[in-house]
Amino acid sequence: MIGGNESCTAGPIPMSYLTCLTYILGEWTGVEHIEDYLSYAVYLLWVLFPLAVVFLLPGVLVILFYTSILLLHIYKRKNELKEAYSNDVWDGAKQMLATLWDGHGRIWHGYELHGAENIPEGPGLIVFYHGATPADYVYFMARLLIQRKRYCHVVADHFVFRLPGFKLLLDVHGVMHGPKEECVSALKKGYLIAIAPGGVREALFSDEMYTIIWGDRKGFAQVAIDAKVPIIPMFTQNVREGVRTLGGIKILRSLYERIRLPIVPVYGGFPVKLRTFIGEPIPYEPDITAEELTAKTKAALQALIEKHQKIPGNIFRALMERFQTQKKED
């Protein structure tokens, strides 16, 4: 056995560091032919590494969310006195987080926003297709705040309000539970609100075919009618190629319908090209019904998908679009 002060290169035949390490491990553990086990372990690591990466990358978004929460707590402590004298104490924090998320969108996805001129100066209800994560909406909100100085509230699923540590983040950004009365009141005050009628179900169980999953939901249309505001359709190209789900597994769909919690695994986090497209507003019509407005909104959103998304979606193609300068028009 090699002593503590002896070198692996001692003797007439020098040993490589890897051979030396293998020899030491073999002597220390008493396992014969340990190099075979090490080779097998290295092979498994090589095979499983890509699989581990695609499941771990979405965790970057979780880290960014909790980083945002931490920054808000720091900001709050540093502005406790100002809060007593100002109604806009969180403006600086919102700008700070918008810069953080916009930077991530630019660097990781080459994020672009098209059609922002279609957003009215006054109130409006933005209706968007829900990807596996809401990252594209966060990028949109950040870009809108930076470029247009407009803030967009969003209606979130109830489970979001039960996520640990998220209360401050949701309060600062005015995330809404979504009762019709609350949404109508906010719109009448002049707010801009966004909602994905498909919600968590669409996020988890739509796929690369970009199927709109709304079911019988038409409450958003009634909100727009009651508030007398236009509906603005919105879609993000390649949103399902950035992060995908295992929603095609039937048992997971059945389990979700029972417990209504998003337990479906996601994978990806790929740096695909993301472009958000804002469609032309659907104006308020006093005589339209909620069913008719729902159908008209769904058709407008479907038209955006067909115009800007190649179906079925393809991860490799979406990655290559990072190097293209022209957006898909047909």
Side-chain angles (χ1 to χ4, degrees), residues 10 19 49 53 67 72 92 96 117 169 171 188 213 228 258 268 271 284 299 313 320:
T19 303
F49 179 74
V53 167
T67 299
L72 285 177
M96 174 180 62
E117 64 277 4
L169 182 67
D171 289 345
K188 287 184 176 180
I213 305 177
K228 300 179 180 180
R258 284 178 175 272
Y284 164 71
M320 292 300 99

Side-chain angles (χ1 to χ4, degrees), residues 132 157-160 162-163 200-201 203-205 252 255-257 259-266:
D157 193 274
H158 294 294
F159 90 90
V160 174
R162 299 197 293 269
L163 292 174
V200 176
R201 187 176 285 104
L204 298 180
F205 304 112
L252 294 177
L255 188 59
Y256 169 78
E257 297 298 344
I259 65 176
R260 295 299 177 88
L261 291 175
I263 60 171
V264 177
V266 299

